[in-house]
């Protein structure tokens, strides 16, 4: 170790280049390892704007026992029982009861739901200022000529009527803009269907595998069928997988580049020390002694490069978190050990060439040449 340290100190410029080569590769590995733990959560957070990715509907719908359509007799779910299934599965959800009513002489799609849960499942909704007791779609408000703060008289089946305030206006960019969203209890009273809902919208994280598990749990017991919106779950799973694959490829490329740079630098260092190696051999140093000397140098370079790389990568991870995900990246306690292990592996591979070069030195020829 004394010989290795003395040799590196005398040629500290060359040794520093080797340390920096390892540090650059290690910094990329450190940054991406810190980000990788949070990238799934952060990406899922961004993709929540896509809305629900799972529907729980009566098993009589679309190919079920009766081939019924939404809102037809028998095509309803028991609210409390289905809520218990969803809660047991730990799935965020919002019930919907679809009612066709009349207001201002026009047919109006009315959706009874848990308004807070619906807004949580649809973060992309643009909700204008107003009372949140009800929500009205932008196109429906324009068609009926109403504005937030007014009141709307809804006429349901069987002569049932409900007078409700016109709350905040929403703009969703789809069919939701044509509906009047009211509390579920009000829609159940308007339609005369207590404890009944048309469907449940839900949001499940984890991509297609999680959706398959949720389907089995929710359909157990019968009475309901799960419809997975595969376009959304596949999009999430695909994006996450491509992100992780990209990070792995970038890390591997950085480590390979670091190894090549370190290999060239350590080879130059070995060439500069041919006379030292020849003198050691002439004084009785064995092949094992030469290997231990150069292995010790590679070990020190790997440790120093790994330590510096981890610190640099920690800073890069913070920048990635702020600029890409607009959040902080959690510090991972296992990353330093992983980065040091990778740095040592890269330094060991880079040191194989110099070791072979040192072992091939002939003392007589090297000393005579000097």
């Amino acid at each position: 170790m004394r010989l290795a340290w003395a040799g590196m100190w005398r040629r500290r410029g060359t040794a520093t280049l080797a340390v920096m080569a390892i540090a650059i590769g290690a910094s990329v590995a450190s940054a991406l390892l810190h980000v990788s733990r949070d990238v799934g959560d952060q990406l899922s957070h961004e993709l929540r704007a896509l809305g629900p990715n799972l529907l729980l509907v009566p098993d009589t719908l679309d190919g079920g026992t009766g081939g019924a359509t939404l809102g037809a007799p028998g095509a309803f779910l028991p609210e409390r029982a289905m809520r218990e299934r969803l809660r047991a599965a730990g799935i965020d959800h919002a019930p919907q009861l679809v009612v066709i009513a009349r207001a201002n002489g026009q047919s109006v799609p009315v959706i009874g739901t848990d308004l807070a849960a619906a807004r949580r499942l649809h973060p992309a909704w643009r909700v204008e200022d107003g009372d949140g007791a009800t929500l009205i779609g932008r196109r429906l408000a324009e068609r009926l000529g109403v504005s937030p703060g007014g009141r709307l008289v809804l006429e349901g089946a069987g002569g049932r009527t409900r007078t409700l305030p016109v709350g905040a206006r929403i703009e969703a960019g789809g069919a939701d803009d044509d509906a009047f969203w009211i509390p579920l209890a009000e829609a159940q009273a308007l339609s005369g269907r207590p404890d009944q809902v048309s469907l449940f919208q839900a949001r499940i994280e984890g991509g297609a595998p999680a959706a398959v598990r949720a389907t089995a749990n929710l359909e157990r017991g019968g009475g309901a069928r799960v419809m997975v919106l595969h376009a959304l779950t596949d999009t999430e799973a695909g994006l996450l997988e491509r992100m992780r694959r990209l990070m792995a490829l970038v890390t591997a490329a950085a480590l390979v580049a670091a190894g090549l740079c370190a290999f060239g630098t350590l080879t130059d260092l070995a060439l500069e020390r041919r006379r030292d190696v020849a003198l050691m051999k002439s004084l009785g140093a064995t092949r094992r002694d030469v290997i231990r000397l150069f292995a010790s140098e590679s070990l020190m370079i790997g440790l120093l490069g790994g330590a510096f790389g981890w610190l640099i990568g920690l800073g890069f991870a913070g920048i990635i978190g702020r600029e890409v995900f607009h959040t902080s990246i959690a510090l991972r306690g296992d990353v330093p050990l992983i980065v040091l292990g990778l740095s040592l592996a890269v330094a060991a591979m880079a040191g194989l060439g110099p070791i072979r070069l040192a072992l091939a030195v002939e003392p007589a020829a090297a000393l005579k040449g000097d």
Side-chain angles (χ1 to χ4, degrees):
M1 292 299 295
R2 286 197 302 270
L3 284 172
W5 179 254
M8 288 181 61
W9 181 251
R10 286 197 304 270
R11 296 168 177 82
R12 50 187 175 272
T14 306
T16 300
L17 290 176
V19 170
M20 292 308 299
I22 298 293
I24 291 172
S27 68
V28 176
S30 174
L32 296 184
L33 283 170
H34 276 103
V35 172
S36 64
R37 171 170 290 180
D38 293 338
V39 70
D41 294 337
Q42 300 297 339
L43 188 58
S44 295
H45 175 75
E46 297 291 334
L47 290 173
R48 286 190 187 102
L50 296 176
N53 58 5
L54 182 146
L55 300 179
L56 186 66
V57 300
D59 60 5
T60 56
L61 288 178
D62 189 21
T65 57
T69 58
L70 190 64
F76 294 93
L77 293 170
E79 178 195 352
R80 285 191 292 271
M82 293 301 110
R83 278 187 184 272
E84 288 300 321
R85 289 192 195 181
L86 288 159
R87 288 195 188 104
I91 299 175
D92 193 16
H93 61 276
Q96 286 191 6
L97 176 60
V98 181
V99 180
I100 302 300
R102 293 193 66 81
N104 294 351
Q106 301 185 46
S107 179
V108 175
V110 177
I111 300 178
T113 186
D114 180 337
L115 294 173
R119 292 180 64 173
R120 190 169 59 248
L121 286 174
H122 295 272
W125 279 359
R126 294 175 54 189
V127 182
E128 298 180 1
D129 293 336
D131 186 1
T134 63
L135 300 172
I136 188 166
R138 177 184 57 82
R139 286 196 296 267
L140 178 62
E142 293 173 353
R143 179 160 61 89
L144 296 178
V146 298
S147 58
R151 299 188 72 81
L152 200 60
V153 179
L154 300 175
E155 301 175 8
R160 302 179 186 89
T161 62
R162 308 295 293 181
T163 302
L164 297 172
V166 178
R169 189 161 62 175
I170 66 170
E171 184 173 353
D176 294 340
D177 287 348
D178 294 302
F180 187 35
W181 299 75
I182 67 175
L184 179 61
E186 295 286 355
Q188 289 172 338
L190 180 65
S191 60
R193 297 188 178 279
D195 193 43
Q196 289 186 332
V197 297
S198 303
L199 57 91
F200 279 88
Q201 289 187 336
R203 173 81 191 172
I204 186 167
E205 311 294 347
V212 171
R213 292 192 297 269
T215 298
N217 291 332
L218 295 176
E219 291 183 346
R220 188 178 295 119
R225 186 167 59 87
V226 174
M227 297 175 62
V228 180
L229 306 182
H230 290 285
L232 298 185
T233 54
D234 291 345
T235 295
E236 296 179 34
L239 283 175
L240 186 56
E241 179 61 27
R242 287 195 293 271
M243 180 73 75
R244 287 175 173 162
R245 193 180 305 160
L246 174 63
M247 290 193 296
L249 289 174
V250 171
T251 301
L255 290 174
V256 169
L260 292 174
C261 293
F263 175 83
T265 305
L266 290 175
T267 300
D268 289 342
L269 191 60
L271 289 172
E272 292 176 9
R273 300 176 62 191
R274 290 180 69 253
R275 184 175 181 278
D276 295 344
V277 174
L279 186 58
M280 287 175 56
K281 286 185 174 182
S282 66
L283 293 175
T286 63
R287 292 173 60 88
R288 179 177 295 180
D289 294 327
V290 174
I291 293 173
R292 287 170 58 189
L293 173 64
F294 281 86
S296 299
E297 293 178 353
S298 297
L299 175 66
M300 287 189 288
I301 288 172
L303 286 173
L304 290 172
F308 284 125
W310 172 71
L311 291 173
I312 297 170
L314 191 60
F316 284 159
I319 295 173
I320 292 172
R322 288 194 305 272
E323 299 298 327
V324 178
F325 298 111
H326 306 290
T327 187
S328 59
I329 298 296
L331 179 65
R332 292 181 55 180
D334 58 338
V335 170
L337 294 178
I338 297 174
V339 171
L340 287 176
L342 290 172
S343 300
L344 289 173
V346 170
M349 295 296 293
L352 292 177
I355 288 175
R356 292 184 59 186
L357 184 63
L359 291 176
V361 171
E362 294 292 338
L367 293 175
K368 181 178 179 182
D370 290 336

